[in-house]
Amino acid sequence: MNAPKQGIQLKQTQTLAVTPQMTQRLHILQCNQQQLQTEIQQMLDKNIMLSRVDNSMDFELGNNDFTDEFDTNSDSLVDEIPEQLDVDADWDNVYDDYRETFDDRPKKIDDVDGFQEDWVADSASFDECLLQAIYLSPLSDEDKQLSLKVLQHLNDDYFLDRPVAQLAKTLNIDVDKLQSVVDCIRYLDPPGVASQNIQECLLAQLLSLGNNNEAAVNAYEILNDYYDYIDKKPDFIRRRLALSQTEYDTAMQLIRTLSPYPKPPDECTHQLIIPDVFVRQRMGMFFASANHDARYDLAINEDYAELSKACKGDEKSFMTAQLQEAKFFLSALDQRQKTVVRVANAIIMHQQDYFLQGDTAMRPLQMKMVADMLGLNESTISRAVNGKYLSFKKHLIELRYFFSQNLSRQNNALDDDVAASATAAKAHIKAIIADEPPKKPLSDSKIEKLLKTQGIDISRRTVAKYRESLGIPKTSERKRLK
């Protein structure tokens, strides 16, 4: 029998490492303007190296990229902070003295498309957030399709309307496979969706917090093992878990921060919308430019940067870590605006006819197509259009609105004039019904034929689906209404 041999082998592998800077940039890119202002305020509260600057320090009209160029001619500290942190590194690394300030440029604003104080809109749909979470999840395409089927079996509280085993029989799928998909949905953002009951929903929200402290552990044991006794026998729970009154109260305080249902109550009917870009026209072409009213007015605090020269030891580490974090945050803001403007320009260039003719001229467009054009990942495009709006002739339009399904039955028809989008089809259906004879409304079959004469080849069933989505009643009801 041969004895096992020891040896050294050289193996080359390729992995994707996410640095703190990449994580921060992705998070900032995901934020809409309202969320971004909250992030900025939180950063100002915790980072002494950041400060607000005078409003006179603004963007030049025509230079749409928020810049992180700094004055290198002043008596500043030597720039030796690296552009990237090591993987899994923390902010509190020690660096040499560093100081940077924004390039002070004069304000030149002659734009007529200023911010409108009455621009408001409903809060983002809970269903849209849920669908986006599934889209960005690590699930396979097959499991994502199964997830959409699961969403069709949720009740008004976004709980499953039947046990998983029964739902598996309804969908004719393996119960273990369905259970794994349901578990994944439960821990997406927002957490708790597809739970069986309030207990499962609370546990999903608690685990999604990612806390491993003593209060979180105690809260988990209370919810998991003694949920039915919380209101009835609190002393019994404390004795069984050997908790002091303070430990029990702390755990219960954490539990009370959770919501019994996945969908939070509507706290605000409307929220202010600040567009990220304006659509302008020059030499017959529409293009996007950054909204100068959505400025950040942030800069490195020169006083604290100068003070860090005299710091030593732990103070030096703290000041350089704060300066590092401030620089990366400003870089993330810069990258966010550049990416949003790039994506908006790619969308607008593809949808030039829309800005001349309206919905009937909307062309098919998918996020993958924009990602290929810009050399970005599809998930980056999704983050760049999430909650972002453009302003066109005093109208606010969400960037997601420009993505529409290709209805052409030819796979290669996307670049041809015959390609039709779902948005254009709905607009044509609405126009056809608006012009129909009042006493003899058109049936879905006749509408289908009229659409084909306009180059939109869809089935009668699709016509009915789009008509219903527009809130237009069927033929017999339209006749009675008129």
Side-chain angles (χ1 to χ4, degrees):
M1 182 175 180
N2 295 329
K5 296 181 180 179
Q6 293 183 343
I8 299 177
Q9 292 182 344
L10 183 62
K11 185 178 180 181
Q12 185 177 6
T13 60
Q14 186 177 16
T15 59
L16 177 62
V18 180
T19 64
Q21 186 181 15
M22 291 173 61
T23 303
Q24 187 179 50
R25 283 188 174 185
L26 290 175
H27 176 67
I28 294 297
L29 180 61
Q30 177 84 11
C31 296
N32 58 29
Q33 281 291 342
Q34 293 75 27
Q35 296 167 340
L36 186 62
Q37 293 302 323
T38 301
E39 291 289 332
I40 290 175
Q41 187 57 51
Q42 291 176 352
M43 184 61 68
L44 285 169
D45 292 339
K46 73 176 187 178
N47 194 304
I48 62 174
M49 286 294 178
L50 280 177
S51 63
R52 297 280 188 184
V53 296
D54 190 272
N55 288 339
S56 61
M57 186 180 295
D58 208 340
F59 307 109
E60 288 184 356
L61 185 63
N63 187 349
N64 302 315
D65 294 335
F66 183 71
T67 181
D68 60 351
E69 296 176 358
F70 301 99
D71 186 6
T72 58
N73 296 322
S74 62
D75 297 331
S76 61
L77 302 174
V78 180
D79 182 0
E80 296 184 0
I81 296 181
E83 293 298 325
Q84 295 284 348
L85 280 180
D86 293 335
V87 179
D88 297 331
D90 204 347
W91 298 113
D92 53 358
N93 293 314
V94 180
Y95 298 93
D96 291 336
D97 293 334
Y98 180 80
R99 177 186 176 190
E100 57 187 0
T101 56
F102 282 110
D103 182 20
D104 192 359
R105 291 173 295 179
K107 180 177 180 181
K108 296 180 181 179
I109 296 180
D110 55 2
D111 180 30
V112 297
D113 290 331
F115 173 68
Q116 303 298 308
E117 292 294 343
D118 58 347
W119 275 347
V120 294
D122 291 336
S123 301
S125 166
F126 183 83
D127 292 339
E128 292 177 354
C129 295
L130 182 57
L131 290 174
Q132 182 183 6
I134 292 176
Y135 174 78
L136 296 175
S137 70
L139 290 171
S140 63
D141 292 340
E142 180 182 357
D143 288 343
K144 288 179 181 179
Q145 292 298 323
L146 180 57
S147 300
L148 298 180
K149 294 180 181 179
V150 172
L151 298 187
Q152 297 176 4
H153 293 275
L154 302 179
N155 57 26
D156 294 339
D157 295 324
Y158 288 87
F159 290 165
L160 283 177
D161 58 6
R162 65 196 72 184
V164 175
Q166 184 178 348
L167 181 59
K169 293 181 179 179
T170 303
L171 299 178
N172 192 24
I173 194 170
D174 180 69
V175 64
D176 293 333
K177 181 177 178 61
L178 179 61
Q179 184 66 59
S180 65
V181 173
V182 169
D183 290 340
C184 182
I185 296 175
R186 189 179 301 143
Y187 293 102
L188 293 176
D189 186 15
V193 174
S195 298
Q196 297 280 353
N197 48 50
I198 294 178
Q199 181 184 11
E200 282 190 3
C201 181
L202 293 174
L203 285 170
Q205 294 180 44
L206 180 63
L207 293 175
S208 297
L209 294 176
N211 293 336
N212 296 320
N213 54 32
E214 184 179 0
V217 173
N218 294 335
Y220 178 84
E221 292 179 344
I222 292 173
L223 288 175
N224 190 58
D225 300 330
Y226 302 99
Y227 174 76
D228 295 332
Y229 298 95
I230 291 178
D231 292 332
K232 302 175 183 178
K233 299 180 179 180
D235 294 335
F236 169 74
I237 298 175
R238 287 195 297 105
R239 289 196 302 269
R240 292 299 296 268
L241 296 179
L243 299 177
S244 65
Q245 185 65 48
T246 302
E247 291 173 334
Y248 179 79
D249 292 342
T250 303
M252 289 303 301
Q253 185 178 5
L254 177 59
I255 292 175
R256 292 188 186 99
T257 63
L258 308 176
S259 173
Y261 303 104
K263 183 179 181 180
D266 295 331
E267 298 179 356
C268 182
T269 305
H270 298 286
Q271 62 175 254
L272 189 68
I273 285 183
I274 303 176
D276 280 87
V277 295
F278 286 103
V279 178
R280 314 187 195 280
Q281 188 177 23
R282 182 177 298 169
M283 299 180 66
M285 296 292 294
F286 292 96
F287 67 98
S289 64
N291 178 13
H292 57 262
D293 284 314
R295 56 181 177 264
Y296 309 123
D297 296 338
L298 294 179
I300 299 297
N301 190 308
E302 296 184 13
D303 294 333
Y304 282 114
E306 186 70 24
L307 183 63
S308 65
K309 286 182 178 181
C311 294
K312 297 180 180 179
D314 292 340
E315 293 180 353
K316 179 75 171 181
S317 299
F318 172 76
M319 296 293 280
T320 52
Q322 290 272 290
L323 192 58
Q324 178 75 61
E325 186 181 30
K327 179 186 177 184
F328 283 175
F329 186 73
L330 293 175
S331 177
L333 293 178
D334 174 24
Q335 189 64 38
R336 176 192 181 276
Q337 190 163 50
K338 289 179 179 178
T339 303
V340 171
V341 172
R342 283 186 66 200
V343 172
N345 268 312
I347 293 172
I348 293 170
M349 289 302 296
H350 185 80
Q351 302 288 6
Q352 289 285 311
D353 292 340
Y354 167 84
F355 296 99
L356 294 173
Q357 305 173 32
D359 286 345
T360 56
M362 183 77 78
R363 297 179 61 194
L365 182 62
Q366 297 177 345
M367 291 188 184
K368 186 178 185 304
M369 181 179 177
V370 178
D372 292 340
M373 284 192 297
L374 299 179
L376 300 174
N377 190 279
E378 194 172 347
S379 62
T380 302
I381 304 301
S382 178
R383 290 185 176 93
V385 301
N386 177 57
K388 315 298 192 303
Y389 287 79
L390 61 78
S391 171
F392 176 63
K393 293 184 177 180
K394 304 299 182 181
H395 294 284
L396 284 175
I397 308 172
E398 190 173 9
L399 290 180
R400 281 187 176 274
Y401 181 73
F402 295 96
F403 294 95
S404 187
Q405 179 185 0
N406 182 11
L407 298 180
S408 175
R409 298 179 183 179
Q410 301 176 5
N411 295 330
N412 61 347
L414 186 59
D415 296 329
D416 299 334
D417 294 336
V418 297
S421 68
T423 303
K426 291 179 182 180
H428 281 286
I429 291 173
K430 187 175 181 180
I432 290 173
I433 293 178
D435 294 336
E436 68 183 0
K439 295 183 179 180
K440 194 176 180 181
L442 299 175
S443 65
D444 293 338
S445 298
K446 292 182 178 179
I447 295 176
E448 175 194 1
K449 295 178 181 178
L450 290 175
L451 289 174
K452 287 182 178 179
T453 62
Q454 300 177 9
I456 302 177
D457 186 9
I458 58 177
S459 65
R460 182 201 60 80
R461 183 177 298 179
T462 304
V463 172
K465 181 179 72 173
Y466 288 166
R467 174 180 53 75
E468 291 172 358
S469 68
L470 292 170
I472 300 176
K474 55 186 178 181
T475 306
S476 58
E477 295 179 3
R478 296 206 303 275
K479 186 174 182 180
R480 288 197 299 269
L481 289 174
K482 292 181 179 181

